[in-house]
Amino acid sequence: GLRCVASKTCALATRVTAHKALAAALDRPPATPPEVLMRVVLPALRDSVRLVHGQPALAMCVLGCFDLVAKRLPEQSRILRDVLPSLIPLLDEKALNARQFDMVAGRVEAMLASAIQARRGELDSPSSVQPRMS
């Protein structure tokens, strides 16, 4: 399960399979409520990013899991704090081919654009209180 997702000792094929199983669970919200996403899944995925080096298949699985997590987070600002900082290192993964790199870059750009749009919406809403510059 999750133990193998972020384990250095599991074989690559096993880690890839574990990430696919995690993605399947993430696709079923009752199986992964928000508190599980925040306290269990995100830390395991952060650890997974550190183990990607030289393994593009694992990088793509990690990207898919983070993408599913980002879609399920209760607030867009969590993407800025909890997802994007973990995905950025994948942009520097030398084992990715051009198509895989474009997939990572595309997801990072889309998540960032979505989070920025949500934040601008918050700032533009009448209920947002702007500090006065003096």
Side-chain angles (χ1 to χ4, degrees), residues 37-85:
L37 288 179
M38 300 306 296
R39 292 197 353 238
V40 179
V41 175
L42 276 171
L45 288 175
R46 280 187 211 111
D47 290 343
S48 292
V49 171
R50 294 185 199 106
L51 303 174
V52 161
H53 302 295
Q55 301 172 353
L58 185 57
M60 294 296 96
C61 288
V62 169
L63 176 65
C65 288
F66 268 117
D67 191 37
L68 289 167
V69 167
K71 290 174 182 169
R72 298 260 325 278
L73 289 174
E75 38 191 64
Q76 289 289 310
S77 63
R78 306 266 0 159
I79 291 173
L80 295 171
R81 279 184 258 135
D82 299 314
V83 175
L84 285 172

Side-chain angles (χ1 to χ4, degrees), residues 75-77 117-130:
E75 38 191 64
Q76 289 289 310
S77 63
Q117 182 180 10
R119 183 68 182 119
R120 282 198 177 120
E122 291 171 4
L123 293 171
D124 292 342
S125 75
S127 64
S128 94
V129 177
Q130 300 282 335

Side-chain angles (χ1 to χ4, degrees), residues 81-93:
R81 279 184 258 135
D82 299 314
V83 175
L84 285 172
S86 298
L87 281 179
I88 298 300
L90 291 181
L91 291 169
D92 192 42
E93 176 53 52

